[in-house]
Amino acid sequence: MTARALVIGINDYPLASGQKQLGGAVADAIDFAQWALEPTGGAVTANDLYFWIHAPVALPPTMALYATPDRPWPREPKPDFSNVPLRSDIVRAASSAALLAADSGVPERLYVFLAGHGVLTVPPGYSADPQSCFVAGDFDAGDAMGLIPLDDLRRAIERTGPAESVLIFDCCRNELPPTIEAPSLDLPKYSPNELNEQWMVGKAAQEKQIAYETTSGQTRGAFTKMLVQALRQYRVDNELTSDALKGFVRAGVKKMVDPKSQVPAITTKHDLVPFVVAQGPVSGDLPELRVSFPPEVAGEIHLLDANDRQLGGAIPITDSQVVMPLEPGQYTFKHPASGASISFFHLGPEPTVETF
Amino acid sequence: MRPSKTPNHKTGTLLIDGPLGVEWLVEDARFQSIGMGVVPATLELSAGLYTVTWSAAGRSEERLVRVIASEEIEERGGDFSLGGAAPSNLPSASKLERDQFAAVAKALETPSPSAESEILVLVRSANDRPSSDLGRSLRLYDHDGEAMRSKSRTRKSGARNALQFAVRNYSIPTGNYVLRYEASDRRTLEQSVYAFPGRRTIVFLKYGTSVIAQSAGSSTQFRRRRGIDPSQTTVLSTDLTSHPDIEYTSRLADILLHKLATHEPVLESVVSELIQESGDDDPYIKIYAAALLLNVNPADEGVKSKLERSAERTLKFLDGVETSCPDVLCLKCAAEVSLGGTGRDWIGQLATPPMLDISWRWAAALSVSVPLLADNPIFATVSRVTQPTPPWLTWPARALAYGESRQSLLRPKGAVDDLVSALAEKAASLQERSQTDPDRPTRRLKISSSTAKFANAAISVSGSRSGGNIAQQLAFSTGSTFDSLTEQLEDALSEISEQIESND
């Protein structure tokens, strides 16, 4: 299946929006875009990635093309990193991407990734659900301009096509006062063909919750950091389904933001039909596991997998620690001499540090 | 080293335990759910690693657990503070919260054998550092609108009130009362509170912070405002003559109220088990359990059979509880009608608004076929609420009582159906007109929240395939009684029509 992607990351918002600067949205967008361009990742070709970040930063070599005026993407609006993308820019780009995917004549997957500020608009009464919205550069809280309703966006893309869509929104879902009405989405409501077979939506947090940034190493959104880690390195029977992705990201975000609380929300169109989000070999260096042992725990240690089966031979404890690269998963270290054990999540991308 | 793919054939036993009402979920190492329920539970599992999650009232705790072949392990969790209005004395609660709990226990120490009923209102802050007396805006009124006088007050404020806590104690006759307070979004709200005979009703209010958008020249600023968060209130009751342990009951109340507010799916067996195991005589707990079972849209044909089963259980829960309590009246009437009754015994019996949002919406839906409501102008005010605060029913303070209530024994449904269709059509047309080419600016719709509420509801009801009575669906989804529906639909239709004309 071919794929295309729309990736937006906004750190710097205009003063009039009342939104504080972010530290990790641009880095998140770059990370996701890099995965999308990997042949064993999202398999999006260079011309099919629409990429816009603000404010501009130095891009990795694999993405340097996107910082030049000759950046690929056949349609308007052309990204301009020196300006913050407005609501109309993002909505038009999403609509354009969905139409291209639907008209291509082959089954396609569309990735939409938005990282920045987000809010939750609460309509009056009981009939309409609250709507998570992405905050674009022209946000004005006085009359709700500059908000992109994300549930409506998902529906609009679903109606237009393509066959599969994966929408990732790394933004908060703070509730706005009810005096701010829900925005409308300026896209055609009707489509002659409804081609979509499956979609997945990933939101960084539950309703009314905050999506946190982590400052361990480079500032990043906790949700995207774990999401891309899963896409790159977590496989069950050689594939990553939406269910496995949900559990992995939930566990990883929890560990990352502890003692704060953030629970991602990942949903799919069909609960009972597994949606394979990624498959094939893992990429990148395996995350490191570092376990330190008290003096009384010496000699050798056994590593058990999640099925309580020993992996490989006994591992010597050297200088009261064991350090090793290891595939993400759940493991137990058991000290055969004493029978003591510890169990832990090893998810990456940062090293896992445990104490026996 | 590659992890093994097949499960271990050797099994072990996992015992999951926790406080009453806590739910558990077990996932395997692939994050696949393999079981869920209410504690306690005993599971036979293949040896390996599992994630156990304990959850209650929106809070959760997760732990990685190793099941060892031929061994039995016990894991207890869920002993966390629920963070609601009622303070907790658990070790996991903050010191401030535990000190507040001690203050509440002290306030409840003195039994009042001579009083017919009592209402105790307790306001606490979870370290929002209030700058003035937390109880300053509290008022309690009887059904005649007369203000009740509190027996006790906390000292005034600020730095000296290190406990961030206020109490008001009212000895009053049995019956229905209205509590008024300033909410965290600067609105002054009212809600009903019922005082049962021989019982002390305890109202826990939580003082919090919310963000208000305010115009500041050409831009908008978000300002933090402090006040009571109406959605976090906990209400329970204890016997007047005893020294109650409220930790247990308040925890159960918080779990049930959270499910009511969030419309979490809940098994009838789970609710029954909770009530049975708690052995609680508190009529409030019974009301919450009954409300949970009826927490569905009565106009939805798809839930009819479920509703019939739930209705029987509801009547059992409410057996013996005073029907002068408006919630009991609404829920009993709802249960009887769901079982095929006419509800005629309840005509004109609802004198005051109920406490729970779901009770009111049932009353509104029932009002389509049964003139349940007595003459009280407050019903018109409640029918116009646009900012619900589930699980509670609140409304703007009564100084702006809106119009007169009208009771009619005639129930011409056709008029409402026609208005709903017309409103849905016009509202959809207005939305279409406001959709522009993405290259041109969007026109802003300038309609009131009340019109928006009815427009959304009309579109939703018109497009619904659930069948059922349209007027009843609309009444339930908007919280407007039948007598208010026609007027509000006409108002909404008029405003939408004006918008269409002004856009032309």
Side-chain angles (χ1 to χ4, degrees):
Chain A
M1 180 176 285
T2 54
R4 65 188 69 235
L6 164 72
V7 178
I8 308 280
I10 306 176
N11 273 351
D12 295 358
Y13 281 83
L15 205 58
S17 70
Q19 304 296 307
K20 67 179 174 101
Q21 306 305 80
L22 291 171
V26 164
D28 288 341
I30 293 171
D31 196 19
F32 187 86
Q34 282 189 290
W35 173 81
L37 289 171
E38 290 169 11
T40 55
V44 175
T45 61
N47 279 346
D48 291 331
L49 171 65
Y50 184 92
F51 180 73
W52 192 336
I53 55 171
H54 181 75
V57 298
L59 293 177
T62 50
M63 295 192 61
L65 180 66
Y66 294 92
T68 68
D70 298 322
R71 63 179 66 84
W73 187 262
R75 298 267 190 106
E76 295 291 330
K78 291 282 189 192
D80 177 1
F81 294 178
S82 61
N83 288 322
V84 62
L86 308 180
R87 169 201 147 95
S88 58
D89 296 327
I90 299 173
V91 171
R92 284 166 60 197
S95 173
S96 179
L99 281 169
L100 284 171
D103 293 343
S104 69
V106 296
E108 280 209 16
R109 176 181 287 187
L110 172 65
Y111 295 99
V112 174
F113 177 91
L114 305 179
H117 276 297
V119 292
L120 187 76
T121 55
V122 182
Y126 304 93
S127 308
D129 289 331
Q131 174 109 221
S132 300
C133 299
F134 183 72
V135 179
D138 51 337
F139 175 57
D140 175 1
D143 60 358
M145 295 297 291
L147 288 179
I148 300 170
L150 298 176
D151 297 324
D152 286 350
L153 181 67
R154 188 266 299 159
R155 280 187 278 266
I157 292 173
E158 183 182 356
R159 287 198 181 132
T160 310
E164 292 182 354
S165 51
V166 174
L167 298 96
I168 305 295
F169 307 127
D170 194 342
C171 46
C172 293
R173 300 172 77 185
N174 289 329
E175 189 176 350
L176 284 180
T179 45
I180 297 178
E181 56 184 284
S184 58
L185 189 69
D186 303 323
L187 287 177
K189 280 192 169 180
Y190 303 103
S191 170
N193 303 303
E194 293 198 12
L195 304 175
N196 182 260
E197 294 168 10
Q198 178 66 289
W199 52 254
M200 184 187 91
V201 173
K203 293 175 183 167
Q206 302 289 322
E207 271 188 17
K208 305 181 190 179
Q209 277 195 347
I210 296 172
Y212 292 101
E213 293 191 314
T214 168
T215 51
S216 163
Q218 186 188 29
T219 300
R220 292 285 309 276
F223 173 65
T224 299
K225 191 168 182 177
M226 289 313 303
L227 177 95
V228 177
Q229 168 63 6
L231 291 171
R232 285 205 168 101
Q233 297 199 335
Y234 187 53
R235 299 289 183 269
V236 178
D237 296 335
N238 208 37
E239 62 184 22
L240 177 67
T241 63
S242 52
D243 284 342
L245 176 69
K246 191 193 311 189
F248 185 97
V249 173
R250 191 190 74 225
V253 166
K254 177 177 186 292
K255 198 172 177 185
M256 209 176 269
V257 306
D258 187 56
K260 296 174 186 159
S261 172
Q262 178 181 339
V263 181
I266 295 177
T267 51
T268 53
K269 183 172 183 172
H270 302 296
D271 285 341
L272 299 180
V273 176
F275 183 17
V276 177
V277 187
Q279 54 191 357
V282 301
S283 64
D285 296 331
L286 292 180
E288 199 170 75
L289 172 65
R290 299 174 192 163
V291 183
S292 57
F293 297 83
E296 61 270 22
V297 180
E300 294 176 334
I301 201 85
H302 290 167
L303 179 66
L304 310 181
D305 67 9
N307 291 319
D308 224 41
R309 295 197 180 98
Q310 187 170 340
L311 283 172
I315 300 168
I317 300 171
T318 309
D319 295 329
S320 298
Q321 63 174 354
V322 166
V323 179
M324 57 192 290
L326 186 62
E327 203 170 301
Q330 298 169 32
Y331 298 93
T332 299
F333 260 139
K334 183 179 170 187
H335 187 231
S338 62
S341 67
I342 58 162
S343 301
F344 50 88
F345 285 105
H346 172 64
L347 305 175
E350 303 296 325
T352 301
V353 179
E354 295 284 339
T355 303
F356 198 89
Chain B
M1 288 188 286
R2 304 302 307 269
S4 55
K5 291 185 181 181
T6 55
N8 199 319
H9 291 300
K10 297 177 184 171
T11 63
T13 305
L14 172 62
L15 305 175
I16 303 173
D17 201 7
L20 180 74
V22 168
E23 295 174 52
W24 59 270
L25 166 72
V26 172
E27 292 173 321
D28 65 14
R30 298 179 174 199
F31 301 105
Q32 302 286 319
S33 167
I34 58 172
M36 61 177 74
V38 180
V39 297
T42 302
L43 306 177
E44 289 295 319
L45 299 170
S46 299
L49 295 177
Y50 298 87
T51 304
V52 181
T53 304
W54 291 262
S55 59
R59 302 240 162 159
S60 65
E61 174 191 346
E62 203 174 85
R63 199 179 302 156
L64 189 60
V65 166
R66 181 181 172 218
V67 173
I68 302 171
S70 307
E71 288 189 23
E72 181 179 282
I73 62 163
E74 182 171 343
E75 294 285 338
R76 181 183 171 93
D79 290 297
F80 40 71
S81 167
L82 298 184
S88 164
N89 198 30
L90 292 172
S92 55
S94 67
K95 183 178 181 312
L96 176 65
E97 195 172 350
R98 283 183 276 123
D99 289 343
Q100 289 169 341
F101 182 89
V104 170
K106 194 172 165 59
L108 294 173
E109 255 172 17
T110 312
S112 305
S114 59
E116 188 180 331
S117 305
E118 264 192 17
I119 291 180
L120 192 68
V121 184
L122 299 142
V123 188
R124 79 176 187 99
S125 162
N127 224 9
D128 276 89
R129 304 192 184 282
S131 57
S132 62
D133 180 8
L134 285 176
R136 179 174 53 86
S137 69
L138 289 177
R139 298 288 183 275
L140 187 74
Y141 300 93
D142 68 5
H143 56 270
D144 290 324
E146 189 171 330
M148 301 289 102
R149 191 169 174 81
S150 165
K151 287 194 302 186
S152 67
R153 300 173 71 90
T154 48
R155 290 173 307 183
K156 282 200 181 158
S157 196
R160 287 188 296 169
N161 188 0
L163 278 182
Q164 302 184 37
F165 178 74
V167 60
R168 299 285 186 272
N169 191 344
Y170 305 90
S171 287
I172 36 130
T174 298
N176 203 62
Y177 293 83
V178 172
L179 181 66
R180 179 188 289 188
Y181 52 81
E182 186 173 306
S184 52
D185 58 5
R186 305 307 289 276
R187 292 184 296 153
T188 300
L189 296 179
E190 294 183 344
Q191 68 181 88
S192 290
V193 179
Y194 192 81
F196 287 93
R199 296 193 74 86
R200 176 191 277 133
T201 296
I202 307 170
V203 181
F204 290 102
L205 300 173
K206 191 139 180 227
Y207 185 87
T209 304
S210 69
V211 177
I212 310 286
Q214 286 187 332
S215 176
S218 59
S219 66
T220 299
Q221 288 183 356
F222 290 97
R223 294 192 185 278
R224 294 189 173 279
R225 290 285 177 247
R226 297 190 181 114
I228 288 163
D229 182 347
S231 63
Q232 292 217 50
T233 300
T234 301
V235 182
L236 49 97
S237 74
T238 62
D239 192 278
L240 264 180
T241 57
S242 63
H243 294 240
D245 172 10
I246 57 155
E247 170 101 56
Y248 185 83
T249 310
S250 65
R251 200 176 167 85
L252 186 57
D254 277 345
I255 288 171
L256 295 173
L257 288 168
H258 183 264
K259 286 190 181 295
L260 269 174
T262 55
H263 295 276
E264 270 179 38
V266 58
L267 295 174
E268 187 189 309
S269 55
V270 167
V271 178
S272 300
E273 194 183 322
L274 276 181
I275 302 308
Q276 205 166 342
E277 283 202 22
S278 72
D280 214 293
D281 278 336
D282 185 357
Y284 274 97
I285 297 296
K286 294 178 183 177
I287 289 170
Y288 302 151
L292 256 181
L293 295 179
L294 296 183
N295 201 14
V296 293
N297 186 339
D300 186 348
E301 292 284 321
V303 301
K304 204 170 172 185
S305 54
K306 177 182 182 302
L307 207 47
E308 283 170 5
R309 289 194 304 273
S310 299
E312 288 179 4
R313 192 64 65 109
T314 297
L315 290 172
K316 278 187 189 152
F317 280 149
L318 296 178
D319 186 33
V321 185
E322 282 76 6
T323 50
S324 48
C325 170
D327 287 80
V328 176
L329 189 158
C330 294
L331 295 172
K332 271 192 166 175
C333 181
E336 287 176 10
V337 168
S338 299
L339 289 169
T342 60
R344 295 283 165 182
D345 291 342
W346 305 101
I347 290 178
Q349 295 293 306
L350 186 64
T352 53
M355 296 175 287
L356 293 173
D357 176 73
I358 185 62
S359 305
W360 171 251
R361 291 209 274 150
W362 265 105
L366 290 167
S367 70
V368 170
S369 52
V370 180
L372 195 66
L373 281 58
D375 276 331
N376 189 339
I378 195 63
F379 291 131
T381 302
V382 178
S383 288
R384 288 180 182 271
V385 163
T386 56
Q387 295 174 34
T389 56
W392 304 103
L393 176 70
T394 60
W395 59 89
R398 206 188 308 208
L400 301 170
Y402 202 110
E404 296 176 4
S405 73
R406 293 168 294 188
Q407 273 302 316
S408 170
L409 289 176
L410 297 176
R411 289 287 184 262
K413 299 185 195 51
V416 170
D417 288 9
D418 291 340
L419 282 171
V420 169
S421 298
L423 179 59
E425 194 182 319
K426 289 218 176 220
S429 161
L430 185 62
Q431 279 186 355
E432 282 286 341
R433 285 161 185 251
S434 75
Q435 300 293 322
T436 62
D437 183 280
D439 286 323
R440 286 164 45 197
T442 305
R443 292 181 196 178
R444 304 307 306 164
L445 294 181
K446 301 287 183 196
I447 56 176
S448 66
S449 334
S450 174
T451 294
K453 170 177 127 178
F454 276 89
N456 286 335
I459 291 172
S460 172
V461 162
S462 294
S464 168
R465 294 177 195 169
S466 65
N469 183 302
I470 284 185
Q472 197 178 53
Q473 285 185 57
L474 201 74
F476 186 85
S477 69
T478 59
S480 291
T481 61
F482 183 80
D483 292 314
S484 293
L485 263 187
T486 309
E487 183 184 338
Q488 292 187 75
L489 283 168
E490 285 171 350
D491 287 347
L493 194 54
S494 169
E495 190 174 345
I496 294 272
S497 300
E498 278 173 25
Q499 268 286 295
I500 291 176
E501 281 173 24
S502 69
N503 283 352
D504 282 339

